[in-house]
Amino acid sequence: MPSAPRKTRIGMIVPSSNTCLEPQSYRILGDRDDVTIHFTRIPVTRIALDDSSDKQFDPAVMRDAAGLLATADVDVIAWNGTSGSWLGADHDRELVREISEATGIPATTSTLAYLEAFRSFGTERIGLFTPYTEDVNLAVITSYERDGIKTVGHRGLGLSDNESFGRVSDEEMRPGSLELAAAAPDALVYLCTNLYGANIAAEVEAETGVPVLDSVAVTLWHCLKLAGSPLLAPRWGRLLAD
């Protein structure tokens, strides 16, 4: 019989063209050896507001991916993508219900992790930074408003090729981040799990005093919370710290 202590196991469904969230999730965990993360990919290559883009997030595909993760006896399953932020949080609530009913495992998504963070920290006004096009940003703003979150300013980089998001540099993110923080939102949100926002979280927080919520960090935070494990180090966003 196995004798090693069982670690917390997190299962993550990953957009196929995402090159950030896997290495970044382990970077955020640092030298912790109490948690392992297990990934499976689904086809996602483009972010836009049209049927071909929306079909990438078919719940049936997500359920199949979740079923594979369940065979690893994970403690929680996350759709580690932000599509619910423009498709609507109810889309993700239904997805999570279906995954949990099919696998018997608690589930979440990046969007639902954000909403839980907003609730936990009393966040009502955000600055929104994304790699997306203007129309996607506006759809996110409208969706968040339905859940009581007001966007006081937003910046998008005008990109739609998902792979390209992971090549956005810290230098490209800083100016828009500081402009958004100048409006004194409750939090600055880096929305996209293929964006390395967590890399500059501590720097932006120290310079502006505005808390930073990064998609990769927030999703991992919520997974750890659901699994009953210790949370994160403050360098990845002080609100998410254990």
Side-chain angles (χ1 to χ4, degrees):
M1 294 291 292
S3 58
R6 190 185 186 286
K7 303 176 188 294
T8 295
R9 297 177 186 171
I10 297 173
M12 292 185 175
I13 303 169
V14 181
S16 59
S17 52
N18 187 310
T19 59
C20 167
L21 75 84
E22 291 161 309
Q24 188 74 318
S25 293
Y26 269 110
R27 189 174 293 122
I28 291 170
L29 285 177
D31 60 1
R32 288 178 59 170
D33 63 0
D34 62 313
V35 179
T36 59
I37 311 176
H38 309 275
F39 305 96
T40 190
R41 289 178 175 245
I42 64 168
V44 177
T45 59
R46 190 174 66 91
I47 302 302
L49 300 184
D50 56 48
D51 287 344
S52 64
S53 177
D54 291 350
K55 286 177 181 176
Q56 298 173 117
F57 311 112
D58 183 347
V61 176
M62 300 279 193
R63 287 196 304 272
D64 289 345
L68 293 174
L69 290 170
T71 66
D73 192 25
V74 294
D75 298 295
V76 61
I77 295 172
W79 158 231
N80 207 332
T82 55
S83 54
S85 293
W86 60 87
L87 295 176
D90 284 345
H91 174 278
D92 278 16
R93 293 183 181 108
E94 176 62 17
L95 173 64
V96 161
R97 185 191 66 77
E98 292 182 15
I99 288 174
S100 293
E101 285 187 357
T103 65
I105 296 170
T108 188
T109 72
S110 297
T111 297
L112 298 184
Y114 265 122
L115 293 178
E116 175 60 19
F118 296 155
R119 185 196 65 77
S120 295
F121 309 132
T123 302
E124 298 178 348
R125 301 167 64 259
I126 66 167
L128 179 67
F129 188 103
T130 83
Y132 308 138
T133 53
E134 177 84 0
D135 57 343
V136 174
N137 269 19
L138 294 177
V140 171
I141 291 167
T142 298
S143 175
Y144 278 3
E145 283 179 350
R146 290 195 291 269
D147 281 280
I149 305 302
K150 178 177 176 58
T151 303
V152 298
H154 70 100
R155 300 289 184 278
L157 298 178
L159 304 175
S160 57
D161 172 28
N162 193 62
E163 185 277 331
S164 70
F165 304 163
R167 292 185 277 112
V168 174
S169 68
D170 295 352
E171 290 69 27
E172 291 173 290
M173 297 179 66
R174 282 192 185 95
S177 300
L178 297 179
E179 289 172 9
L180 290 169
D186 296 332
L188 173 61
V189 169
Y190 290 124
L191 188 73
C192 178
T193 63
N194 200 21
L195 192 68
Y196 282 93
N199 285 358
I200 60 172
E203 172 191 333
V204 170
E205 288 185 340
E207 184 169 346
T208 68
V210 174
V212 170
L213 294 173
D214 164 78
S215 292
V216 176
V218 167
T219 307
L220 180 55
W221 167 85
H222 198 213
C223 288
L224 292 170
K225 188 175 182 181
L226 288 172
S229 294
L231 303 181
L232 306 180
R235 65 172 291 196
W236 307 109
R238 65 176 187 247
L239 295 178
L240 306 177
D242 195 22

